[in-house]
Amino acid sequence: MDSVIQLLDEVESRLEGSSNLTVTELSWALGCCGGEFHQLLLGPRPAAPPDLSFLSAEQRAFLSHIMEHRVDSSLTEHGVVLAPDGTTVAMRPVLAGIEAGLKRKREVTLPFPALLVSDRSNSTDPAAPIALDPLYAVTLAQDLGVAFLLSTANRSQAALGPNGCWDSISAPQNFRLMGPSSPLTDALVNGALDGVILGTYLAERAAPPARLSALLKDYYIGAGLAAQGQARSNFRRKNFAELLAHEGKLLREQVESTLHLLWELNQPLFQDVGNESFPDLASQAAKEFTAAYLECPAIIPRCMWEAKPYRGTPTQLKLPLGFVYIHHTHTPGEPCRSFPACAADMRSMQHFHQDVRGWDDIGYSFVVGADGYLYQGRGWHWVGAHTLGCNTKGYGVSFIGDYNTSLPMPFALELVRDTFMQCAVQGRRVRPDYIIHGHRQVVRTECPGNRLFQEIQSWPGFKVRGVSSVGPEQPAPWS
């Protein structure tokens, strides 16, 4: 993403003063929003896009590459970039959302009377056609509807995901998926959520931003949009869900109306599908998408924090589990607030657990950063080394930092208490009647710190048990 922003800044600097460059014109010049579907909703291409002939062949190839999203036979995903928060983002829906946001207040006239295009999706008339919001259609609804359409036609194909791994974090070149690709990968989802958030932000502004590069820099690298600390990519899932609720949007309706529009455009993919199936298809798509991306936390996979391999043969957990054990790391003692810092902490803890303690891997199941993300330790399926005598009974979730006298950030607490626990139950990884314990309730230790232990006693699922006498803090959890 740094490379994208730097190149866009160069383009905008070169064109400044020589033309009345707009974000709209620049997005067209970069190859965004060129298909019939997008042009119908966003308007035709500018008659004379800006001249980018001053770019080198390498620069033009790079811009072209990031705008063409595809997955090849080797499961390498193209058109994606590594964001500073450690996630991977497809640029096409980001720029489409920006374009839609700038034009969102413009009336859109469709040649199909069965469809209504509007800024609102609610209607007091139950017989009225579903309103299609161009912002949601060009970022998420089209790809989500098509993904479930193709998944229905091919039962062996997943509709959503997966995530992937870069060949290098410091100098990323190739991003390869962890498994068979669906039409809507995690990177496309990240780009779609960002596109909706950025588009909504632009639609509510009195004037468009002076530069596209500055907008992207604020969102992905800086303090956030309009200096709002959480209006940035780290919190895209939470912010997108809040936008849906605030605007009264029903994702199911947006997917259904988008499918009807694609049907009217006579897309070849509808050859064996009737439009009477669209309501059920849209309902299923919205339900599964919400469960996977809005009700579950974003988890940074091991490959992204550059974990070393597991030593030996891991033991598989027998799911669902009945317990979740809350820890703090104590060492590192300070919360990490960025992906580089959290990734470094993860590597440091894995080194200590493997090379000093002699364990097979980092002990925790999941680790919570102060950057808005969970980090995968041993993950959902493998027995950890976090709570002596109980490792096969539950997950060990640890907050990075020392929480004897202070608490983790409110959003970090919410991430575990609400999102992680809900996701674990819905995914049948934890029983609905789960029990939460602090580490000190099972092992002689001060973990998870006096202040954090006091906090988790108010959480749903917390149970009092015979607390062992508290001993001195350990530099890492007992196995």
Side-chain angles (χ1 to χ4, degrees), residues 35-357:
E36 181 182 10
F37 178 84
H38 288 79
Q39 290 194 49
L40 185 63
L41 294 177
L42 302 181
R45 289 176 176 272
D51 181 12
L52 304 182
S53 59
F54 57 85
L55 294 176
S56 69
E58 182 181 11
Q59 289 172 322
R60 288 196 296 270
F62 175 72
L63 290 175
S64 176
H65 175 76
I66 64 170
M67 288 308 306
E68 181 188 358
H69 182 268
R70 63 185 176 87
V71 178
D72 65 24
S73 58
S74 70
L75 297 183
T76 298
E77 188 171 8
H78 302 268
V80 300
V81 297
L82 174 61
D85 66 355
T87 60
T88 301
V89 179
M91 289 304 300
R92 174 173 58 80
V94 174
L95 292 182
I98 290 172
E99 177 76 0
L102 291 169
K103 295 184 174 181
R104 193 173 184 187
K105 299 184 185 302
R106 176 178 67 84
E107 268 190 39
V108 179
T109 302
L110 291 179
F112 315 121
L115 290 168
L116 171 68
V117 175
S118 169
D119 283 336
R120 299 182 62 192
S121 63
N122 292 332
S123 173
T124 56
D125 180 6
I130 297 172
L132 184 152
D133 187 330
L135 174 59
Y136 287 85
V138 299
T139 53
L140 177 60
Q142 179 189 23
D143 287 325
L144 182 55
V146 170
F148 275 80
L149 181 70
L150 296 177
S151 178
T152 300
N154 181 5
R155 299 290 181 180
S156 64
Q157 183 181 44
L160 299 171
N163 205 338
C165 301
W166 287 94
D167 51 359
S168 169
I169 303 304
S170 58
Q173 295 294 321
N174 297 296
F175 184 73
R176 188 169 183 178
L177 298 177
M178 295 177 182
S181 174
S182 78
L184 189 58
T185 63
D186 281 13
L188 264 176
V189 170
N190 289 338
L193 302 187
D194 290 343
V196 171
I197 293 167
L198 291 169
T200 301
Y201 169 73
L202 292 174
E204 294 173 349
R205 285 171 58 94
R211 288 194 174 191
L212 174 60
S213 57
L215 176 71
L216 297 178
K217 185 175 182 179
D218 286 343
Y219 184 71
Y220 288 105
I221 300 175
L225 303 178
Q228 301 173 41
Q230 292 189 37
R232 49 192 170 91
S233 60
N234 307 57
F235 302 95
R236 61 169 65 90
R237 295 190 182 198
K238 177 178 169 47
N239 291 338
F240 179 83
E242 290 178 351
L243 275 179
L244 283 179
H246 176 71
E247 297 186 351
K249 296 292 183 186
L250 294 178
L251 188 56
R252 169 185 55 80
E253 291 185 351
Q254 293 304 310
V255 174
E256 182 181 347
S257 55
T258 299
L259 286 172
H260 279 291
L261 176 55
L262 291 171
W263 168 273
E264 296 288 354
L265 292 173
N266 296 315
Q267 297 289 330
L269 57 95
F270 293 102
Q271 288 179 352
D272 301 319
V273 179
N275 59 3
E276 67 278 358
S277 66
F278 289 172
D280 291 340
L281 192 68
S283 179
Q284 184 68 16
K287 178 181 178 181
E288 293 191 23
F289 178 87
T290 298
Y293 294 102
L294 303 185
E295 295 175 351
C296 279
I299 299 175
I300 302 295
R302 292 170 61 90
C303 60
M304 290 303 300
W305 58 266
E306 299 180 295
K308 292 181 179 179
Y310 189 97
R311 294 175 180 173
T313 303
T315 302
Q316 192 158 2
L317 289 164
K318 295 180 180 179
L319 305 180
L321 304 178
F323 294 84
V324 173
Y325 303 102
I326 302 299
H327 300 253
H328 73 168
T329 61
H330 186 262
T331 304
E334 294 296 324
C336 59
R337 303 184 185 279
S338 67
F339 166 68
C342 291
D345 284 348
M346 292 296 291
R347 293 191 297 271
S348 175
M349 286 186 287
Q350 186 187 41
H351 167 74
F352 181 81
H353 291 179
Q354 285 186 323
D355 298 334
V356 178
R357 286 294 176 89

